Amino acid sequence: SAKTDGRKEFNRMLEYIKKNKGKVAGIIVYNYTRFSRTGGQGIMIAQELREKYGVHVISVTQPLDTKNENGVLMQDMQLLFARWDNAQRKQNAIAGMKMKFNKGEWVTLPPFGYDIVRSDGKRLIVVNKKGKLVKKAFEWKAKGMSNEEILRKLKAFGLTLYKQKLTKILANPFYCGIMVHGLLDGKVLEGNHEKLISKELFLKVNS
């Protein structure tokens, strides 16, 4: 990914160029989006490489002569376009995620106790073995059991959780089939995923 210029190997390359000034003539990339997608920052790096170290960024699919001002200007435009392209991709991805959320599809990683499985080309979110123990935790809590007691009983069944983790689980409406997410803009929706508990049990646990 070229979304950031803080990539480990990218910086190793820059350090190598700086330590071997005069020994490197160019950096070859497939296209300028593979060099950088940060726009102005990428332009500054390319300028420093050219002017200070004599190193030119060479795209095999967008051939430009950066030894003249017209070529440099065109390269700058390509690097700016790379940032715009990245922003568009992000915007489209978020729009797609919102659309799926509004259809009741949970598109990010599900919470503890669920697995993602694929069946007949469909992405399903189903309860796993740990989820069945989480269900017991809800039932015990509804009977008035303390979190400490629940944690001890879960441990006896082979599931070790921290108190903060258990508190977070018990407060998450996902387990009763309700979706809450930042991309839903405050809306609360019914999800298509497998419910672990009933809404009545969730409300009882959360008073």
Side-chain angles (χ1 to χ4, degrees), residues 6-23:
R7 291 116 66 199
K8 184 179 177 182
E9 295 302 317
F10 185 77
N11 283 326
R12 277 187 64 198
M13 176 184 69
L14 296 181
E15 286 300 314
Y16 180 85
I17 289 169
K18 290 171 185 178
K19 289 177 181 176
N20 294 274
K21 188 175 180 180
K23 294 183 180 179

Side-chain angles (χ1 to χ4, degrees), residues 132-164:
K132 291 174 182 177
L133 290 174
V134 168
K135 183 178 181 179
K136 288 184 179 292
F138 274 100
E139 292 168 348
W140 293 331
K141 187 68 177 178
K143 291 176 182 176
M145 196 177 290
S146 70
N147 284 7
E148 288 77 10
E149 286 180 279
I150 293 171
L151 290 170
R152 282 197 295 271
K153 284 179 75 71
L154 288 174
K155 193 170 184 178
F157 279 97
L159 178 61
T160 302
L161 293 176
Y162 294 106
K163 189 174 181 180
Q164 294 88 340

Side-chain angles (χ1 to χ4, degrees), residues 23-42:
K23 294 183 180 179
V24 180
I27 297 169
I28 300 174
V29 293
Y30 178 72
N31 59 41
Y32 289 113
T33 62
R34 299 295 82 215
F35 176 73
S36 174
R37 286 180 177 267
T38 59
Q41 192 173 343

Side-chain angles (χ1 to χ4, degrees), residues 78-98:
Q78 290 289 348
L79 289 169
L80 284 173
F81 176 78
R83 183 181 179 184
W84 175 85
D85 180 60
N86 194 57
Q88 288 294 110
R89 286 168 184 264
K90 184 179 178 181
Q91 188 174 328
N92 291 340
I94 290 173
M97 288 172 70
K98 278 187 174 183

Side-chain angles (χ1 to χ4, degrees), residues 2 20 29 40 65 101 112 116 126 190 197 207:
N20 294 274
V29 293
D65 183 4
F101 270 127
F112 185 84
I116 298 171
V126 298
E190 189 89 22
I197 58 170
S207 303

